[in-house]
Amino acid sequence: MTPATLILLALVIPTVVAVLLPLFAGRPNVREAVTLIGAVALFAVVLMLLPVVLAGGRPELDVWTVVPGLKIAFGVEPLGMLFALIASGLWIANSVYSIGYMRAEKAHRQTLFYVCFAIALAGTMGVALAGNLFTLFLFYEVLTISTYPLVTHRGTEEARNAGRLYLLMLLGASTILLLPALGWTWVAAETLDFRPGGILGGVVSNTALGLMLGLYVFGTAKAAVMPLHFWLPAAMVAPTPVSALLHAVAVVKAGVFTILKVIVYTFGIETLAEAGTGDWLVYVAGITIVVASAIALRQDNLKRRLAYSTVSQLSYVVLGAALFTPLAIVGAAMHIAAHAVSKITLFFSAGSLHTGTHVDNVSEMDGIARKQPWTMAAFTIGALSMIGVPPTAGFLGKWFILMAAVAIGQWFAVGVIVISTMLNASYFLPIVYRAYRRTGEGKVSLSEAPWPMVLPLVVTAAITVLLFVWPEVPFQLAEMLSQSVAASPPS
């Protein structure tokens, strides 16, 4: 099977799943089997692409030329490979978890839920494997539209309001800011292809580079850089598997992935470093990290606390990208992987707590670990990773970004990392303390949530540790990304 065929299959498999699911709306076991088979098949296809990329290959697939020089095309490079691995692998975990959650909650419209989930994964694969900015933009919007029904799934007034905000901010930002950025890039560089070293060096002024960077960063509202972050906490009204999709598998990862990819392959880090007009991004990312962490401290609702934590943690990736050095790029890429497995563990745990004990607030979690030991053990691992404590994956990305900041004397970034780490500990460790050390009054519980919910969170917690102990694959991909950046001068 050729690499081009594998790229096509990565796009087709979740699409076929979405088409097949309505046929089995009245047969839940078959419907969910189709979802699981599709998720496993997608991950297998992505895994088959991995050796090609690690060996230095860059598989491509051209689909359609819209006008000369502008086409729908796909290509696999190290950063896209990393994102595709994360999304496809976590789709399996999220599918198993969703089965347990949706059945335990006796949720309505389950077929629509799984269909939209599959379309969202197709959109995610399109973003990860996009060969140019035009293709990325198209699938970025597919991802937005396909996740809207998931955000509004409960059908309540609160859910509908959250959905309206979701569409307004994401579609609005991409239409008003991101699309003009693409047009400007096309006019200036006469191409939208991704190239090592970027395509904008020498074709626009330094001032224009800074303005264009702003359009890309704020136009990519999925990255939740302040002040375009409000949609993310509001979307927590969605079912927990959707929260996991938003925070770990697809949506916000597509945002920071896009920013990192554009900085590396459209601007070029050497071009931005020499221009000096993109340095403002360090301060915007730093402020987002600290302010979101401070807001998280005040949230009693567990999912809202996790939501503001996500706003903060996403900007670590943006901060790493904004340092414009190869080492920082490694840290940013590593943090994408670490945040994915850690945050999905935390949201899975939040859903398990809700299903098993109907606990949704931090103030209600006293002694909860005695009733849900597996859930809270996994939550603790995810929390430690978000703080950046070894031996968890979250340590690695933060360490590389910190070392990169020290190396170039960017002391504001160093201070942000130190302060935010203390804030992370301040809003995560009290939860763990309450769960293990305090004695609760007790709520009716069947101990743990159903096993299809507990098993995925235990697995993702284990992966969170495994990525610290054995980080070779994400590190190799991140290092290959940084080496191509360092070796290729701006065009």
Side-chain angles (χ1 to χ4, degrees), residues 101-125:
Y101 183 91
M102 300 301 279
R103 291 192 176 189
E105 295 292 311
K106 296 180 174 59
H108 64 296
R109 299 188 299 170
Q110 293 191 27
T111 300
L112 177 63
F113 174 89
Y114 290 113
V115 168
C116 291
F117 226 101
I119 297 172
L121 261 294
T124 303
M125 289 298 105

Side-chain angles (χ1 to χ4, degrees), residues 35 58 111 132 164 173 178 183 205 215 254 399 425 463 471:
T35 298
R58 299 294 179 266
T111 300
N132 55 52
R164 283 192 285 269
L178 186 57
S205 68
L215 290 176
W399 178 256
I463 295 173

Side-chain angles (χ1 to χ4, degrees), residues 86 90 243-250 252-253 339-341 343-344:
I86 293 166
L90 292 182
S243 300
L245 173 72
L246 294 175
H247 288 261
V249 181
V252 298
K253 291 299 177 299
H339 183 263
V341 295
K343 191 51 66 77
I344 201 170

Side-chain angles (χ1 to χ4, degrees), residues 150-228:
L150 296 173
V151 173
T152 60
H153 184 81
R154 296 193 190 277
T156 62
E157 184 63 27
E158 184 183 8
R160 288 191 291 270
N161 289 337
R164 283 192 285 269
L165 180 62
Y166 184 81
L167 280 185
L168 176 65
M169 294 199 70
L170 296 190
L171 287 180
S174 62
T175 302
I176 296 172
L177 301 174
L178 186 57
L179 188 57
L182 266 65
W184 193 354
T185 302
W186 168 260
V187 171
E190 299 181 347
T191 182
L192 293 178
D193 290 348
F194 293 120
R195 295 177 185 169
I199 59 176
L200 291 174
V203 300
V204 296
S205 68
N206 290 343
T207 300
L209 283 172
L211 292 173
M212 291 174 75
L213 181 62
L215 290 176
Y216 276 109
V217 169
F218 294 110
T220 310
K222 286 187 177 72
V225 174
M226 287 184 171
L228 299 182

Side-chain angles (χ1 to χ4, degrees), residues 76-415:
V76 191
E77 44 73 46
L79 181 60
M81 185 75 253
L82 179 62
F83 186 29
L85 277 173
I86 293 166
S88 60
L90 292 182
W91 189 25
I92 300 174
N94 209 331
S95 295
V96 176
Y97 184 90
S98 296
I99 292 169
Y101 183 91
M102 300 301 279
R103 291 192 176 189
E105 295 292 311
K106 296 180 174 59
H108 64 296
R109 299 188 299 170
Q110 293 191 27
T111 300
L112 177 63
F113 174 89
Y114 290 113
V115 168
C116 291
F117 226 101
I119 297 172
L121 261 294
T124 303
M125 289 298 105
V127 170
L129 305 178
N132 55 52
L133 277 166
F134 177 66
T135 306
L136 189 152
F137 180 81
L138 291 179
F139 282 90
Y140 180 95
E141 300 297 13
V142 168
L143 182 56
T144 300
I145 295 168
S146 64
T147 48
Y148 167 75
L150 296 173
V151 173
T152 60
H153 184 81
R154 296 193 190 277
T156 62
E157 184 63 27
E158 184 183 8
R160 288 191 291 270
N161 289 337
R164 283 192 285 269
L165 180 62
Y166 184 81
L167 280 185
L168 176 65
M169 294 199 70
L170 296 190
L171 287 180
S174 62
T175 302
I176 296 172
L177 301 174
L178 186 57
L179 188 57
L182 266 65
W184 193 354
T185 302
W186 168 260
V187 171
E190 299 181 347
T191 182
L192 293 178
D193 290 348
F194 293 120
R195 295 177 185 169
I199 59 176
L200 291 174
V203 300
V204 296
S205 68
N206 290 343
T207 300
L209 283 172
L211 292 173
M212 291 174 75
L213 181 62
L215 290 176
Y216 276 109
V217 169
F218 294 110
T220 310
K222 286 187 177 72
V225 174
M226 287 184 171
L228 299 182
H229 69 287
F230 297 104
W231 65 270
L232 188 52
M236 290 306 94
V237 67
T240 299
V242 178
S243 300
L245 173 72
L246 294 175
H247 288 261
V249 181
V251 177
V252 298
K253 291 299 177 299
V256 291
F257 166 84
T258 297
I259 290 175
L260 182 56
K261 190 156 184 171
V262 164
I263 285 176
V264 171
Y265 291 112
T266 301
F267 289 91
I269 62 171
E270 292 182 2
T271 299
L272 286 170
E274 291 172 4
T277 51
D279 295 345
W280 58 267
L281 186 54
V282 170
Y283 300 97
V284 170
I287 291 169
T288 300
I289 290 170
V290 174
V291 172
S293 296
I295 296 174
L297 273 170
R298 305 200 305 269
Q299 305 304 310
D300 186 41
N301 181 271
L302 181 57
K303 284 179 66 176
R304 285 187 64 82
R305 184 174 295 198
L306 294 179
Y308 279 103
S309 168
T310 295
V311 174
S312 174
Q313 294 288 334
L314 289 174
S315 277
Y316 277 106
V317 179
V318 180
L319 179 67
L323 294 176
F324 308 140
T325 71
L327 182 60
I329 295 298
V330 171
M334 291 290 287
H335 198 68
I336 288 177
H339 183 263
V341 295
S342 306
K343 191 51 66 77
I344 201 170
T345 301
L346 292 169
F347 272 103
F348 280 175
S349 299
S352 177
L353 289 168
H354 172 80
T355 299
T357 64
H358 301 290
V359 166
D360 295 311
N361 298 320
V362 175
S363 58
E364 300 172 327
M365 292 180 63
D366 292 356
I368 205 76
R370 296 177 179 85
K371 299 167 185 174
Q372 294 192 311
W374 288 101
T375 295
M376 281 312 304
F379 183 95
T380 301
I381 291 171
L384 292 176
S385 183
M386 289 295 84
I387 296 169
V389 178
T392 59
F395 170 79
L396 297 174
K398 284 189 177 183
W399 178 256
F400 286 124
I401 296 170
L402 178 63
M403 290 300 98
V406 170
I408 62 173
Q410 179 44 270
W411 303 114
F412 175 81
V414 172

